Amino acid sequence: MFFYVKKTYQKHPFHLVDPSPWPFFAALAAFSCTINAILYFHFFIYGKFFLFFSFIFLFLIMFVWWRDVSREANFEGHHTGLVQQGLRYGILFFIISEILFFSAFFWAFFHNSISPSIELGAIWPPKGIYVLNPWEIPFLNTLILLLSGCTITWCHHALVSNLKSQVITSLFLTIVLAIIFTLLQGFEYQMADFRLSDGIYGSTFYLATGFHGFHVLIGTISLIICLLRFFKFQFTQQHHFGFESSAWYWHFVDVVWLFLFVSIYWWGGV
């Protein structure tokens, strides 16, 4: 008995993505996080729990979606040179969209701080707001993020040079620094004398720094996944876009924090 196997040959270097349910479920999870965050901010009795489970749902979607992309890259061979170039453009445009996102926060802060309204007493910071000392935890966090930018660059050069022990050391140090930054940020929020509901200063401060902290959390998860993928030998000298995109994202997080430190912590607190 003979079996005939039909072989298909792809005549182009592009990747025609198979139908996937994850974009729909990711959008649903993001929408759920937004709605439940509004409920939480308005002191809905179960808003905190709904928001927590919404984030768990979102992280699960991230996991299975990134798993499929890793399979396409490492086992199915779909990430050709041209596909990787397209992915780089995609990450670049994504970072640009994030820059515009943060620009709105900076715009709100400078609009109210440069010309405070009569309702604010025509002074900035508003009366009754005791701002944080920029040369304590904020400055320490700045040094930590700058150091993490150095370690992630070290990791990239080590990966290109195929220095495996240095890749593990530098990437592990970057993750540790990211976790320390997040813990210090949470400690700073606990020590602050103002809250999100304390007028325009509290709103702009916590929205800008909190949104940046969320980016740090996402970047940390991405770096942890990169470390696990490296242990599974899924990165090579020529094929490591997953790590490269995470490094770009982390440098973006570093630069945004520098603007936050100079404008909100230092200049805005004078």
Side-chain angles (χ1 to χ4, degrees), residues 24-81:
F24 171 77
F25 284 112
L28 187 63
F31 179 73
S32 176
C33 289
T34 304
I35 296 299
N36 290 314
I38 295 173
L39 295 177
Y40 173 67
F41 291 154
H42 285 79
F43 304 104
F44 183 68
I45 186 171
Y46 296 115
K48 184 192 325 185
F49 300 101
F50 288 158
L51 182 61
F52 174 76
F53 287 114
S54 296
F55 274 110
I56 295 297
F57 182 40
L58 181 61
F59 288 143
L60 289 175
I61 297 301
M62 290 168 55
F63 173 78
V64 293
W65 198 349
W66 289 354
R67 178 205 60 185
D68 289 352
V69 174
S70 300
R71 287 176 177 175
E72 293 170 357
N74 296 284
F75 304 114
E76 300 177 10
H78 290 309
H79 287 191
T80 62

Side-chain angles (χ1 to χ4, degrees), residues 73-94:
N74 296 284
F75 304 114
E76 300 177 10
H78 290 309
H79 287 191
T80 62
L82 195 58
V83 171
Q84 292 185 55
Q85 182 180 355
L87 292 173
R88 288 187 177 91
Y89 283 129
I91 290 295
L92 179 61
F93 285 123
F94 169 72

Side-chain angles (χ1 to χ4, degrees), residues 66 69-70 79 84-95 152 156 159 171 215 218-220 222-223 225-226 229 235 239-253:
W66 289 354
V69 174
S70 300
H79 287 191
Q84 292 185 55
Q85 182 180 355
L87 292 173
R88 288 187 177 91
Y89 283 129
I91 290 295
L92 179 61
F93 285 123
F94 169 72
I95 291 177
I152 197 70
H156 195 184
L159 182 58
L171 190 52
H215 281 68
I218 298 299
T220 305
S222 180
L223 293 176
I225 292 174
C226 287
R229 291 186 63 189
F235 290 140
H239 198 285
H240 53 267
F241 172 75
F243 169 80
E244 192 174 0
S245 62
S246 300
W248 287 7
Y249 187 82
W250 195 253
H251 287 307
F252 158 74
V253 168

